[in-house]
């Protein structure tokens, strides 16, 4: 099953689009979503308000890259190689 927040990323290498799609995957599982919020310190309201903020999108990618099973699961669900998510993390962190 492929999860997307956006219809299609503007480019497979668009780090913001990948991060938003990855966030959709993170939030699709309650336990994973709670872990994400706990680790980032964000509330659901703060997350909604900061979706366009590069630091929030970077936090999504940091979250995935810090736990290989999540990284692999997100890559599979989004139909991308894990390396693309890691590259997006680097671009958002730059």
């Amino acid at each position: 099953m492929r999860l997307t927040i956006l219809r299609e990323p503007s480019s497979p290498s668009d780090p913001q689009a990948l991060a938003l799609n990855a966030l959709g995957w993170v939030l699709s599982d309650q336990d994973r979503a709670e872990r994400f919020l706990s680790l980032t310190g964000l509330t659901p309201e703060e997350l909604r308000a900061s979706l366009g903020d590069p630091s929030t999108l970077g936090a999504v990618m940091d979250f995935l890259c810090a736990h290989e099973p999540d990284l692999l699961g997100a890559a599979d669900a989004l139909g991308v190689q894990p390396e693309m998510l890691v590259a997006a993390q680097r671009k958002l962190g730059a």
Side-chain angles (χ1 to χ4, degrees):
M1 176 169 90
R2 184 175 173 174
L3 301 174
T4 56
I5 290 176
L6 307 173
R7 291 179 191 247
E8 287 295 324
S10 23
S11 154
S13 61
D14 179 350
Q16 291 181 328
L18 282 173
L20 285 170
N21 281 299
L23 177 60
W25 180 82
V26 168
L27 298 177
S28 70
D29 177 81
Q30 184 173 348
D31 290 338
R32 187 173 47 240
E34 288 175 5
R35 186 167 38 95
F36 172 73
L37 293 174
S38 175
L39 289 172
T40 61
L42 292 168
T43 66
E45 295 76 23
E46 291 168 333
L47 178 59
R48 276 189 219 82
S50 65
L51 285 177
D53 186 337
S55 64
T56 298
L57 298 177
V60 171
M61 303 313 289
D62 290 345
F63 174 79
L64 290 176
C65 291
H67 188 61
E68 187 175 6
D70 285 343
L71 177 67
L72 297 176
D76 184 55
L78 298 174
V80 298
Q81 294 297 313
E83 295 82 8
M84 292 181 73
L85 296 174
V86 173
Q89 176 203 27
R90 289 185 185 132
K91 288 178 184 175
L92 289 167

